[in-house]
Amino acid sequence: MLLRIDHVGIACHNLSEKIEFYESVFGLTVVSREINEEQGVREAMLHVADGDQGASYVQLLEPLHPDTAVGKFLAKRGEGVHHVGYGVTDITKALEEISAKGVRLVDERPRHGSMGASIAFLHPKDIGGVLTELVETSRR
Ligand code: V0V
Ligand code: CO
């Protein structure tokens, strides 16, 4: 069901500073920078590698407001890994299958994600404390 790791989402206070850090330490390149109002984030995707099943990225996330998913996470835990995003072929089918196994879905239906992808989150409390995202890419 899971094709690859699409991205690792990392919460930070200052997106521009964190981008510079990843560029200078790892030599990564920003391939997309977006504001997603629905998710309450300003985010950047930095390309890591290409594989048979598609590319993988680091996603840096800065909250638009304190009262957002990432804002609350930063207040509680500070900067660090926020979620793991896995590539799937058919996100609607994957959500049905996962839900049938008793895992709580944060999103019953896919939402709008970075670079035109369809995304949906699974509840961290049902995945051993890891906020998990499914990603169906459009064209990457
Ligand atoms: C919260 N919790 C987490 C967590 N966030 N555990 C692991 N990883 C995280 N990232 C825990 C938290 O410590 C609490 O546990 C419990 O869940 C409830 O948290 P809360 O602070 O009361 O917050 P809630 O319940 O209001 O919201 C938690 C959920 C929320 C997961 C439902 O963060 C959410 O809807 N996330 C999905 C949307 C999202 O994260 N968007 C930003 C990325 P204790 O302390 O009670 O034990 S957008 C993105 O990735 C995009 C656009 C993309 O990839 O394209
Ligand atoms: Co993400």
Side-chain angles (χ1 to χ4, degrees):
M1 182 193 294
L2 306 179
L3 297 175
R4 68 183 193 287
I5 291 175
D6 182 275
H7 64 271
V8 175
I10 295 173
C12 64
H13 291 290
N14 186 312
L15 183 62
S16 298
E17 275 180 25
K18 208 55 98 199
I19 287 173
E20 276 178 32
F21 179 84
Y22 273 79
E23 284 173 341
S24 69
V25 174
F26 300 114
L28 296 184
T29 305
V30 175
V31 290
S32 159
R33 216 175 150 147
E34 294 178 31
I35 287 174
N36 188 322
E37 295 279 354
E38 186 185 26
Q39 297 295 334
V41 293
R42 180 176 286 122
E43 53 93 7
M45 291 294 242
L46 291 84
H47 180 259
V48 176
D50 289 311
D52 292 348
Q53 303 294 334
S56 62
Y57 305 86
V58 173
Q59 180 176 47
L60 301 177
L61 303 152
E62 179 192 307
L64 291 175
H65 315 285
D67 191 19
T68 56
V70 176
K72 288 204 275 183
F73 178 91
L74 279 172
K76 256 192 192 170
R77 305 192 187 196
E79 294 189 320
V81 175
H82 179 258
H83 66 267
V84 177
Y86 295 102
V88 294
T89 314
D90 181 340
I91 194 166
T92 305
K93 188 158 162 268
L95 283 173
E96 267 172 29
E97 287 176 16
I98 292 165
S99 172
K101 289 176 183 163
V103 172
R104 247 175 312 162
L105 310 179
V106 173
D107 300 304
E108 301 272 336
R109 287 172 294 104
R111 312 276 171 199
H112 209 70
S114 186
M115 298 193 282
S118 291
I119 62 168
F121 287 90
L122 312 176
H123 205 285
K125 289 289 169 197
D126 287 356
I127 317 271
V130 180
L131 177 59
T132 302
E133 177 185 346
L134 304 180
V135 183
E136 184 184 327
T137 53
S138 51
R139 197 164 52 84
R140 287 186 170 179

